Amino acid sequence: MRVFVTGGSGWIGSALVPELLRAGHDVVGLARSDASAAALTSAGAEVVRGTLDDLDTLRETAAASDGVVHLAFKHDIAFTGNFEAAAAADRLAAEAIGSALEGTGRPFVLTAGTPVEPGRPATERDGHDVEVDAADLDEGPQARAATAEWVLSLASRGVRSSVMRLPRTNHGEGDKGFVAELVGIARDKGMAGYVGDGAFRWPAIHRLDTAHLFRLAVEQAPAGATLHAVAEEGVPLREVAEVIGRHLDIPVVSVDPADAAGHFGWLGSVVSVDQPASSALTRELMEWRPTRPGLLADLDEGHYFRAE
């Protein structure tokens, strides 16, 4: 297959591109910068220059491909307070790609996040109570969920569409995401913190297991499937803090929930919610089993602590 990947030089994409190539597929990657283009070329992918705002480029490249994985998102503006604009751009990009694939039976894999279900692990059946036309909602996360539902609705219009929900951490060497942020905060504060009693949990997966599941989704996910790229349902954040504290040789402390924002900054809301997620249905549907190290084992390998 010729697979069009947006975000192919990013954290997940840079693992997915070689995963696809090793499986015998050709990859064309969207690159908005010279650095992204060089990374894709070095990996063995063809490059098309453009951004998520270049809707004609997205349509034309999708139409010339046998399948699409949409990983790119405007994180640079989303995490500086303008999530709504990032979600709106994501919807327009998804619509451009989806319109090019209608009636073809080709795969379109969209990226989303695992939902939060109070008191239990979220499953692939949860989080679908959002109207597909709600992309203009003021709250960005709801708009992004609406985009995921819209992509799933393409199954009725001749697209083998699926949504890949990612957990809070896709860890691994080179990670600059949430876990790396926790390490940085602990180093700066001189203490490894967790909120309350530390029982809040994050679902987790190694990024190479994520890449493998994305490849399987391109190859065989049924139309309308919701998939959870989750290896561990919920890792208690106190255990994460304990590993961080041991490696940095700093105390491990409880942070009062009222002080979470002050201690963790923008990450305060993410570490203050119990948000486990299951992948049991995905494992059965896709005959998939993650094989890479878990989050605590990956932390213990030491690469998160080698440089500030």
Side-chain angles (χ1 to χ4, degrees):
M1 297 170 63
R2 175 182 171 86
V3 183
F4 176 33
V5 179
T6 72
S9 62
W11 177 236
I12 303 299
S14 60
L16 174 60
V17 169
E19 172 81 20
L20 289 167
L21 292 170
R22 283 193 298 269
H25 304 295
D26 295 323
V27 177
V28 55
L30 182 71
R32 65 174 181 169
S33 68
D34 291 343
S36 293
L40 287 165
T41 300
S42 177
E46 179 185 336
V47 173
V48 59
R49 295 300 295 260
T51 73
L52 291 184
D53 297 321
D54 297 325
L55 302 183
D56 287 341
T57 298
L58 295 179
R59 272 189 290 267
E60 292 166 6
T61 311
S65 301
D66 299 311
V68 179
V69 178
H70 180 34
L71 283 163
F73 189 72
K74 292 187 173 184
H75 295 289
D76 51 346
I77 65 172
F79 290 121
T80 56
N82 203 351
F83 197 100
E84 291 77 12
D90 189 57
R91 176 59 175 257
L92 292 175
E95 288 178 346
I97 294 167
S99 66
L101 296 178
E102 282 192 37
T104 66
R106 297 172 186 168
F108 177 16
V109 187
L110 180 80
T111 310
T114 53
V116 177
E117 292 295 326
R120 64 172 176 82
T123 78
E124 296 87 341
R125 296 193 178 102
D126 293 317
H128 297 290
D129 54 348
V130 179
E131 295 294 329
V132 298
D133 60 354
D136 59 349
L137 291 171
D138 290 337
E139 188 174 347
Q142 283 187 284
R144 199 174 188 197
T147 297
E149 293 305 301
W150 182 83
V151 169
L152 290 177
S153 75
L154 292 173
S156 65
R157 287 184 270 168
V159 181
R160 186 160 61 81
S161 60
S162 61
V163 169
M164 184 75 70
R165 290 173 172 172
L166 304 183
R168 299 306 166 264
T169 174
N170 286 252
H171 53 86
E173 186 163 5
D175 179 17
K176 294 181 175 60
F178 288 172
V179 173
E181 287 283 344
L182 289 177
V183 173
I185 292 168
R187 183 180 279 116
D188 291 342
K189 300 283 186 179
M191 61 183 72
Y194 57 86
V195 175
D197 63 2
F200 293 146
R201 295 164 292 173
W202 276 0
I205 189 172
H206 195 285
R207 74 163 181 147
L208 297 181
D209 283 323
T210 303
H212 180 62
L213 184 57
F214 265 108
R215 194 253 296 172
L216 293 180
V218 170
E219 294 173 344
Q220 64 190 54
T226 297
L227 307 173
H228 279 193
V230 172
E232 296 174 284
E233 283 194 0
V235 181
L237 291 179
R238 178 170 184 164
E239 296 182 15
V240 174
E242 288 170 346
V243 177
I244 293 173
R246 173 158 42 82
H247 277 267
L248 296 180
D249 194 24
I250 56 177
V252 180
V253 300
S254 171
V255 175
D256 188 281
D259 299 327
H263 184 89
F264 294 100
W266 64 270
L267 200 54
S269 61
V270 186
V271 296
S272 300
V273 179
D274 190 41
Q275 43 198 305
S278 167
S279 62
L281 298 177
T282 298
R283 296 181 191 220
E284 180 180 0
L285 178 67
M286 304 300 292
E287 297 183 352
W288 168 75
R289 294 293 182 275
T291 61
R292 302 289 176 167
L295 175 56
L296 299 181
D298 198 17
L299 274 168
D300 256 333
E301 289 185 5
H303 52 79
Y304 278 96
F305 311 100
R306 288 177 190 149
E308 295 189 17

